[in-house]
């Protein structure tokens, strides 16, 4: 059952990556995460945000929540929010947040291709808006023990 991907009790492991080019400079953003569906369609967990550019890099960690809405067994739209704590090669330790939205296309029972946008804001620096893609692997501990 593909709809089991966002059921309570399912683990979520994955991440996304994006390339941002603006004003003659570019940066790469890599965002791995691990989560657990505490309710149907609502996962909470931990994320890492790495942003690298020619002038330096920034690494942060923090909790996040992801809510899957509007969809069916083929895919669902989602919204996410997270808090970040970290620092960089040319910045001090600081806090921030991330907001995201996108669409998860369910390729099979365990894997989704996520396409979306992410906004990262760190301290008093300007925020970074990016479009990216990633994969999520959905593990349901009960799937393997059920007799079909």
């Amino acid at each position: 059952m593909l709809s089991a991907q966002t059921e309570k009790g399912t683990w979520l492991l994955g991440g996304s990556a994006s390339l941002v080019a603006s004003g003659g400079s570019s940066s790469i953003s890599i965002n791995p995460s691990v989560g657990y569906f505490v309710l149907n369609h609502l996962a909470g967990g931990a994320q890492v945000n790495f942003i690298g550019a020619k002038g330096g890099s920034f690494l942060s960690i923090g909790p996040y929540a992801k809510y899957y809405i509007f969809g069916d067994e083929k895919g669902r739209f989602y919204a996410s929010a997270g808090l970040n704590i970290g620092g960089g090669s040319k910045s001090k330790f600081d806090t921030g947040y991330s907001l995201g939205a996108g669409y998860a296309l369910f390729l099979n029972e365990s894997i989704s291709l996520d396409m979306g946008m992410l906004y990262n804001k760190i301290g008093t620096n300007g925020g970074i808006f990016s479009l990216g893609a990633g994969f999520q692997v959905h593990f349901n501990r009960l799937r393997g023990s059920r007799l079909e």
Side-chain angles (χ1 to χ4, degrees):
M1 270 174 68
L2 293 178
S3 62
Q5 285 190 325
T6 62
E7 284 182 351
K8 180 180 176 179
T10 300
W11 284 94
L12 192 59
L13 177 65
S16 64
S18 61
L19 178 65
V20 179
S22 175
S25 65
S26 62
S27 64
I28 187 168
S29 174
I30 300 171
N31 311 96
S33 62
V34 62
Y36 183 77
F37 282 89
V38 294
L39 299 171
N40 286 344
H41 312 301
L42 177 64
Q47 65 182 355
V48 175
N49 297 301
F50 173 78
I51 300 169
K54 186 177 181 181
S57 61
F58 187 88
L59 180 69
S60 67
I61 61 171
Y64 81 96
K66 189 172 190 178
Y67 186 64
Y68 290 81
I69 50 176
F70 309 120
D72 56 23
E73 66 275 353
K74 295 176 185 176
R76 288 188 170 273
F77 290 95
Y78 65 85
S80 63
L83 298 174
N84 306 312
I85 301 169
S89 57
K90 296 198 175 190
S91 65
K92 61 180 179 156
F93 176 83
D94 219 332
T95 60
Y97 63 90
S98 61
L99 299 171
Y103 185 76
L105 175 65
F106 300 143
L107 303 177
N108 61 31
E109 285 186 10
S110 301
I111 299 173
S112 69
L113 171 62
D114 290 12
M115 300 155 284
M117 59 186 112
L118 183 67
Y119 178 78
N120 271 309
K121 174 78 169 137
I122 309 296
T124 58
N125 298 327
I128 297 172
F129 177 78
S130 61
L131 298 174
F135 287 96
Q136 297 289 330
V137 180
H138 303 249
F139 300 98
N140 187 319
R141 61 182 164 73
L142 298 177
R143 246 185 233 147
S145 64
R146 289 185 188 158
L147 295 175
E148 312 259 356

